[in-house]
Amino acid sequence: MDNQTLTITDNRTQQTYTIPIWRGTIRAMDLRRIKAGAGDFGLMTYDPAFMNTASCQSAITYLDGDKGILRYRGYPIEQLAENCTFLEVAYLLLHGELPTEEELAYWNCEITHHSMIHENVKKFMDGFHHDAHPMGILMSTVAALSTFYPDARNVADPKCRRKQVVRLIAKMPTLAAYAFRHRLGLPYIYPDPELSYAKNYMNMLWRRTEPKYVANEVLARALEVLFILHADHEQNCSASAMRAVGSSTADPYSTAAASIAALSGPLHGGANEEVLRMLDEIGSNDNIPGFIAQVKEGKRKLMGFGHRVYKNYDPRARIIKQVAGEVFAVTGRNPKIDIALELERIALSDDYFITRKLYPNVDFYSGIIYEAMGFKPEEFTVLFGIPRTVGWLAQWQEMLQDPEQKIARPRQVYTGEDCRDFAPAALRGQKEPAGI
Ligand code: SDX
């Protein structure tokens, strides 16, 4: 087909317009030519929640929602989860290619070298209550890092950007582990440069009085795979937050804090915590039919199910189910997996879910593994945020290097009052105030 154009007739004016079609889209700005008359602003698109709007061009992650495909820089997620370390995948997402052995060795060394955090961070970490939500601690401490690295504001300088990228990837596990230890009243454990990314995180989480932490190999590999699966997912809510906030050229620490805030929402990364609370509430297979009935009445959501893009099985959920078996061989079976499997079996045979193409997403099974490994539900989304920091940074860098990108500033359809004059309080009639 060579005629990649739309012909639009404006029935208000009988004018016709030829709009180019570009990679399955039309440019919204091309619609501004369509005016009802002189002085008309021109047409805009109206797309609440961006259901059908591409906000950028990106070469990082490819999803096919109908086929349940996920690729990082063209590599199928299944192959990366099977063959790579997390830092190898992090290098791929950020640089566009898998590293050579020499590049990977240098990259590992760089990240390890920057895993310490300023001692002052402990002082405000200690300021949180013992039961402070770990996402609140993480969001705050990541934002605070911007005050330790004021040069991070030089986002136009590639060398400066790379320094912050390395620092953020390296320090996220340390901050997360410190938050975990603070909540338990345990002393902070320093990073161990001899350990891999996942094993070092486990060391900072779980080392007690032993002189050297020795990680369980199966659990360490499971954590690496879970980190790989959570590393990026194209223009999800938190990546969009990273792009929008980063487009004002704010520093990457403050920008990442905004992404952590977005991820914490129960409809996004916070879902993995909600899934466990839902499974605890259901309690046994006997209660599943009653719960499903409430979902179908619209009273509840089946947390961990559904996705804006995947209208097929989330490929990450499939891999996580396999990882669960390997983890349970070490930790013992988490009985909640049986409720989850039965919930999935019933849902996938029920018309309500079939017609809405609702399948398990990445959050449905991950929490069951995390709980078996010893994490509390409120710590699960932190485990999502650590690896997703790589995706946020890859999206942030791509945005800053995109010549088409500028500060994100959407338009609106104004539905408020027309112009009206001020009236002194004594003359104002009683009006039903708009809800806040
Ligand atoms: C993540 O974007 C990403 O890529 C995110 C993510 C990533 O890696 O970054 O994949 C990670 O956030 C996964 C999603 C985790 N969230 C949950 O598991 C929360 C439960 N899921 C839903 O809230 C929902 O499915 C969303 C938020 C994930 C997607 O919502 P959409 O695309 O806005 O879909 P919708 O709410 O318009 O739902 C369409 C229909 C509605 O029914 P009707 O109004 O047509 O009758 O499906 C129903 C919804 O009520 N529906 C659900 C449901 N999800 C959608 N009904 C019951 N349970 C659910 N979970």
Side-chain angles (χ1 to χ4, degrees):
M1 285 176 288
D2 56 1
N3 187 3
Q4 294 291 318
T5 61
L6 281 186
T7 301
I8 296 175
T9 299
D10 184 345
N11 294 317
R12 300 172 297 179
T13 63
Q14 300 314 311
Q15 288 278 337
T16 58
Y17 301 83
T18 301
I19 308 281
I21 295 170
W22 175 77
R23 309 196 74 166
T25 71
I26 58 168
R27 287 180 173 272
M29 286 304 287
D30 284 344
L31 300 176
R32 285 279 285 281
R33 292 171 13 220
I34 302 175
K35 298 175 187 270
D40 184 333
F41 181 77
L43 288 189
M44 293 193 293
T45 57
Y46 174 56
D47 187 12
F50 313 116
M51 297 289 283
N52 191 40
T53 294
S55 64
C56 63
Q57 297 182 58
S58 180
I60 300 168
T61 294
Y62 172 76
L63 304 185
D64 181 319
D66 292 328
K67 297 182 185 137
I69 290 173
L70 166 56
R71 298 183 196 133
Y72 292 162
R73 300 286 188 180
Y75 293 96
I77 191 66
E78 295 79 6
Q79 293 182 25
L80 297 173
E82 177 75 27
N83 300 297
C84 292
T85 67
F86 170 67
L87 285 184
E88 202 173 358
V89 170
Y91 186 99
L92 168 68
L93 285 168
L94 286 157
H95 299 85
E97 296 297 337
L98 283 166
T100 61
E101 284 178 336
E102 192 184 350
E103 288 166 336
L104 182 56
Y106 183 73
W107 176 244
N108 286 338
C109 183
E110 261 195 306
I111 298 297
T112 303
H113 182 71
H114 286 276
S115 52
M116 293 282 282
I117 54 178
H118 194 290
E119 286 290 293
N120 282 6
V121 172
K122 292 179 182 175
K123 293 182 183 141
F124 49 77
M125 186 79 79
D126 288 342
F128 289 101
H129 276 208
H130 68 91
D131 59 355
H133 197 289
M135 285 298 275
I137 298 177
L138 190 67
M139 194 184 313
S140 319
T141 47
V142 167
L145 287 185
S146 64
T147 65
F148 288 87
Y149 307 109
D151 61 321
R153 293 172 64 90
N154 305 323
V155 298
D157 174 354
K159 284 203 180 75
C160 180
R161 283 204 305 266
R162 179 176 169 71
K163 205 189 308 180
Q164 316 317 325
V165 164
V166 169
R167 281 172 171 158
L168 262 164
I169 295 170
K171 298 177 193 306
M172 284 299 271
T174 311
L175 292 173
Y178 278 26
F180 181 85
R181 303 282 291 196
H182 167 71
R183 286 162 45 84
L184 296 175
L186 292 172
Y188 300 121
I189 299 292
Y190 285 116
D192 179 342
E194 292 175 4
L195 298 177
S196 71
Y197 196 79
K199 289 181 180 176
N200 191 23
Y201 181 48
M202 295 164 77
N203 159 58
M204 295 186 285
L205 284 171
W206 292 322
R207 192 174 129 210
R208 287 291 196 262
T209 54
E210 67 274 31
K212 183 83 174 173
Y213 179 78
V214 178
N216 176 289
E217 292 296 338
V218 172
L219 298 187
R221 182 60 200 159
L223 213 42
E224 290 266 355
V225 171
L226 285 160
F227 280 178
I228 289 169
L229 296 176
H230 285 85
D232 189 56
H233 214 237
E234 56 128 287
Q235 304 314 313
N236 57 84
C237 181
S238 53
S240 299
M242 189 80 183
R243 283 178 171 263
V245 174
S247 73
S248 74
T249 68
D251 72 84
Y253 302 98
S254 310
T255 306
S259 299
I260 295 169
L263 187 73
S264 69
L267 294 186
H268 190 12
N272 57 16
E273 173 180 348
E274 296 305 318
V275 167
L276 253 293
R277 299 195 191 290
M278 175 184 74
L279 295 176
D280 284 339
E281 181 191 336
I282 292 170
S284 79
N285 287 9
D286 300 342
N287 299 329
I288 291 177
F291 183 82
I292 292 281
Q294 287 183 47
V295 171
K296 290 164 67 174
E297 289 158 18
K299 291 179 184 152
R300 312 291 302 271
K301 280 197 181 296
L302 182 52
M303 299 311 278
F305 257 67
H307 199 276
R308 176 64 55 78
V309 175
Y310 289 128
K311 300 309 172 192
N312 197 323
Y313 214 98
D314 184 332
R316 300 167 296 176
R318 208 186 299 283
I319 299 170
I320 289 173
K321 268 170 91 171
Q322 293 159 12
V323 171
E326 294 153 20
V327 168
F328 295 160
V330 174
T331 62
R333 186 176 179 78
N334 185 340
K336 291 171 193 171
I337 188 93
D338 298 317
I339 300 176
L341 288 168
E342 179 63 5
L343 206 45
E344 176 187 340
R345 185 191 67 76
I346 293 176
L348 295 191
S349 58
D350 186 299
D351 228 27
Y352 175 92
F353 298 90
I354 295 168
T355 51
R356 291 169 178 81
K357 297 186 177 177
L358 302 177
Y359 291 88
N361 60 48
V362 69
D363 292 314
F364 190 61
Y365 287 106
S366 54
I368 296 168
I369 297 177
Y370 295 144
E371 187 177 62
M373 292 174 85
F375 294 101
K376 297 276 181 294
E378 54 271 24
E379 285 145 4
F380 293 176
T381 311
V382 168
L383 289 156
F384 195 145
I386 293 171
R388 186 53 62 90
T389 302
V390 169
W392 293 333
L393 290 166
Q395 300 285 345
W396 171 73
Q397 276 200 126
E398 188 177 63
M399 177 274 300
L400 288 172
Q401 292 165 331
D402 182 341
E404 277 200 309
Q405 289 293 339
K406 43 179 72 178
I407 189 166
R409 202 272 182 230
R411 297 284 180 160
Q412 66 172 15
V413 174
Y414 179 68
T415 58
E417 299 281 347
D418 203 344
C419 184
R420 52 181 174 167
D421 294 323
F422 171 82
L427 301 179
R428 290 168 203 156
Q430 193 60 34
K431 262 194 173 179
E432 195 52 43
I436 48 173

